Amino acid sequence: MNAETVYRVDNAETVKIKHYALETLRADLVGIANIGRFAGAPVKMSPQGVMPSARSVIVMAIHHPDAAIELGGKKHPQEIGPYQIQYHMNWRLDDMSYRMSNFLEKLGWNAVPIVSSNIWRYRGYKDLKEQFAPDVSHIHSAVAAGLAEYGYSGLAITPEFGARVRFVTVVTDAELTPSPLLEPGSVCDSCMICKRECRSGALSKEIKGWNVIEYEGRQYRYANKNLWRCSWGEHFD
């Protein structure tokens, strides 16, 4: 039996968890990664760093309303407008990750919910050289869980919603069936609309090649951009 066949046959615990995510928590998407997919991540940015006994990572997502995306910042980039719905979405995602962790504990497993907006280190710390480093990246987790692939922009792009989606991650020692990975290049077609529309120049100036991430022999990449340009809108409004 090959790996792809194994992925399609969820074990009993995986079936329960996906059903709970979709039917009880009302997630729009749910996917699962095994811990092996994070083998190349720095310890301080990995599920293993949060829970050394971790075996699986559960990622849930909710769709960002289209009109809120299209109208947010339309008058001026620093007037958030209807895009502020993301703050309610973050609350909902935090509640989902908390309830999923409680559900896992009732099944006899340990779990750590990662907050939706994450904890960021703006500059490197000790042996961690990366800037804007989260404890666990929801973007990387979403790709590792088969929900998305990286766009040129570095956003996680899903087949269902594009980049108009927010994710939350739960780390657990439950041994769950991993979801199939999306093939690199199957969602992002490198149309470069993101590059054209980015007002900060984050996707057109000071690009230093590519960030390359490998999961199970598949290589994914996204632009190695100047994150301080990106953060001017994302983190500093």
Side-chain angles (χ1 to χ4, degrees):
M1 182 179 292
N2 62 38
E4 291 298 327
T5 304
V6 173
Y7 291 154
R8 296 192 188 101
V9 183
D10 291 346
N11 64 26
E13 296 288 68
T14 305
V15 171
K16 292 177 187 177
I17 286 162
K18 286 185 174 179
H19 185 270
Y20 183 75
L22 296 170
E23 300 301 324
T24 302
L25 301 181
R26 307 303 294 174
D28 290 316
L29 301 171
V30 60
I32 294 170
N34 57 34
I35 204 64
R37 293 179 182 175
F38 298 88
V43 173
K44 288 187 176 68
M45 295 174 64
S46 70
Q48 305 95 307
V50 173
M51 176 188 281
S53 61
R55 294 180 178 177
S56 303
V57 173
I58 303 165
V59 183
M60 296 175 287
I62 55 176
H63 174 219
H64 210 308
D66 292 324
I69 292 283
E70 291 163 7
L71 297 174
K74 189 170 185 177
K75 184 177 180 182
H76 186 277
Q78 289 180 298
E79 290 188 21
I80 191 169
Y83 184 69
Q84 64 188 323
I85 191 64
Q86 70 166 318
Y87 299 123
H88 173 74
M89 293 171 69
N90 285 346
W91 174 88
R92 185 178 167 214
L93 287 165
D94 287 343
D95 182 66
M96 290 165 63
S97 63
Y98 168 71
R99 292 172 65 188
M100 176 60 77
S101 296
N102 284 342
F103 182 70
L104 285 158
E105 287 192 347
K106 290 177 182 177
L107 293 176
W109 305 104
N110 294 308
V112 176
I114 307 298
V115 294
S116 58
S117 57
N118 231 310
I119 307 300
W120 294 86
R121 302 173 185 88
Y122 285 94
R123 294 191 182 277
Y125 176 73
K126 294 185 178 180
D127 59 327
L128 183 65
K129 306 303 180 184
E130 286 80 1
Q131 295 181 338
F132 297 89
D135 286 344
V136 176
S137 167
H138 299 306
I139 289 175
H140 285 253
S141 295
V143 178
L147 295 181
E149 76 153 317
Y150 302 108
Y152 175 81
S153 62
L155 295 179
I157 302 179
T158 68
E160 296 86 355
F161 307 117
R164 296 177 177 183
V165 61
R166 294 184 75 82
F167 303 96
V168 76
T169 302
V170 176
V171 181
T172 179
D173 58 5
E175 192 162 359
L176 306 175
T177 307
S179 305
L181 292 162
L182 294 179
E183 290 299 323
S186 63
V187 184
C188 178
D189 61 2
S190 299
C191 68
M192 295 300 168
I193 292 175
C194 60
K195 179 178 178 178
R196 184 189 72 198
E197 297 295 331
C198 179
R199 300 188 188 186
S200 72
L203 299 175
S204 57
K205 299 178 180 180
E206 299 132 20
I207 301 295
K208 297 180 179 179
W210 299 93
N211 291 306
V212 180
I213 312 293
E214 184 170 318
Y215 303 115
E216 298 179 354
R218 296 172 174 85
Q219 286 194 341
Y220 301 81
R221 66 179 190 170
Y222 57 94
N224 185 6
K225 59 190 176 182
N226 182 338
L227 291 174
W228 289 98
R229 285 186 178 275
C230 192
S231 69
W232 188 252
E234 174 63 19
H235 292 266
F236 308 141
D237 289 338

